[in-house]
Amino acid sequence: MPNFTEMAIKQAFASLIKERPLSKIKVKDIVERCGINRNSFYYHYADLPALVDSIISDVVDKLTSEISELSSFCDAFTSVIGFITENRAAVYHIYNFVDHTVSERYLLSMCEKVVAAVFYRFYDGENIGERDKKIIIRHYKEVFFGMLFNWLENGMKYDIVAYFNRLCELKEGETRRIIENASKKI
């Protein structure tokens, strides 16, 4: 559980990232916004990327904890996409950070954690070998990442929720068939 100062730092950053790109946010801006000194910031975080890592980790933990309340793979991904669209400005500012490899690493890590959480939520009891589990998780991670990456690259201009819901309709039953095929190979 983060302490008061960590929460204040994260809240200050969250408000700043909605206003401007990550490349325009300095530690000085954060400490001024939350009323602490620079040493307090550096006591909790080595630098700005460490703060972003921590926030993204918190978000992924929150999203994956909510997956247990959902009833399908598509519901879980729609929930994640809903969160992203609700926080569109912040996501776009982080994504358009000076170094795209950093933002892509955040996105890929988030996709992997969410896909793994969804997979284990819905298919943990299935009789599937570990290798096949990893293959299935990697496949869906790459699909989810590719979809989000394309949407971000195109300026978040189309309705990704409608797009994803249609994709779910088109792929209906696919995951069940993959699971059945994997369980036959044991």
Side-chain angles (χ1 to χ4, degrees):
M1 178 85 168
N3 68 29
F4 177 79
T5 304
E6 286 176 281
M7 288 175 28
I9 291 168
K10 288 178 179 181
Q11 288 171 348
F13 176 81
S15 67
L16 287 165
I17 197 69
K18 290 176 185 173
E19 299 168 10
R20 56 184 121 151
L22 184 55
S23 61
K24 303 280 187 207
I25 298 174
K26 308 292 180 229
V27 170
K28 179 183 179 216
D29 302 324
I30 296 169
V31 298
E32 286 176 358
R33 177 80 48 114
C34 65
I36 63 169
N37 64 41
R38 290 176 70 83
N39 290 340
S40 293
F41 177 91
Y42 288 112
Y43 175 79
H44 295 284
Y45 302 101
D47 52 20
L48 202 50
L51 170 61
V52 174
D53 282 340
S54 178
I55 290 171
I56 289 173
S57 180
D58 291 349
V59 167
V60 169
D61 289 347
K62 179 183 182 303
L63 291 171
T64 56
S65 72
E66 293 171 356
I67 286 170
S68 63
E69 301 166 14
L70 302 171
S71 61
S72 73
F73 228 175
C74 284
D75 287 348
F77 288 125
T78 301
S79 173
V80 171
I81 292 169
F83 174 83
I84 290 170
T85 57
E86 287 170 16
N87 295 281
R88 177 183 295 260
V91 170
Y92 199 65
H93 286 151
I94 290 171
Y95 176 74
N96 282 313
F97 187 54
V98 175
D99 184 357
H100 269 264
T101 58
V102 173
S103 56
E104 289 169 15
R105 181 176 51 87
Y106 291 144
L107 184 61
L108 193 57
S109 174
M110 180 201 71
C111 289
E112 183 168 10
K113 289 176 182 176
V114 168
V115 168
V118 169
F119 179 84
Y120 288 111
R121 158 66 171 97
F122 295 110
Y123 303 107
D124 192 33
E126 301 287 341
N127 187 24
I128 304 171
E130 285 304 311
R131 181 172 178 259
D132 285 344
K133 287 178 185 178
K134 289 177 182 176
I135 289 170
I136 294 166
I137 290 169
R138 182 175 179 176
H139 166 72
Y140 282 108
K141 171 191 76 174
E142 290 169 356
V143 168
F144 194 41
F145 172 80
M147 186 182 68
L148 290 173
F149 178 80
N150 186 291
W151 180 61
L152 289 163
E153 278 293 298
N154 287 290
M156 304 167 93
K157 292 181 181 167
Y158 58 89
D159 183 354
I160 194 170
V161 174
Y163 176 88
F164 187 74
N165 286 334
R166 180 62 181 144
L167 180 63
C168 284
E169 291 171 2
L170 295 171
K171 292 172 72 79
E172 187 174 337
E174 176 187 74
T175 306
R176 174 54 39 208
R177 284 190 302 278
I178 291 170
I179 298 297
E180 288 170 2
N181 288 338
S183 66
K184 291 177 191 174
K185 305 294 183 205
I186 295 258

